[in-house]
Amino acid sequence: MEWGEAMAAAAARETEEETGLRVEPGPLIGFYGDPALDRSSDGSYPVGTALFLCTSAGGEPRVTEETTAAGWFSEDALPPLWGPHARRVKAGFDFLK
């Protein structure tokens, strides 16, 4: 997040930067903290991740410097996910059920 930026606005901006997709954030599904992702050795810069249900507003999935692959996947055809992302993606699919 940028200083003064709302979480939903940050989610939309980061999604476009990291995937090429433009989204409209909807309800907050969850908020996750992970000490393993803290950015400082003394823990003074904790990382939190907000998970929003979003609707598509355009764009096409693309690989960026922050991704290794991009695309649309059903729950039963997901590629391997990195650590904390697996829990968050599952929460998103569970929210939709």
Side-chain angles (χ1 to χ4, degrees), residues 4 8 30 59 64:
T64 69

Side-chain angles (χ1 to χ4, degrees), residues 29-87:
I29 296 173
F31 190 82
Y32 304 87
D34 188 340
L37 298 179
D38 288 350
R39 303 293 167 96
S40 64
S41 60
D42 66 359
S44 63
Y45 187 71
V47 173
T49 301
L51 178 62
F52 290 89
L53 178 64
C54 296
T55 56
S56 176
E60 292 293 326
R62 63 178 164 80
V63 175
T64 69
E65 65 184 33
E66 296 189 51
T67 58
T68 58
W72 298 105
F73 303 94
S74 64
E75 184 175 12
D76 61 350
L78 288 168
L81 299 171
W82 173 74
H85 292 317
R87 182 174 74 165

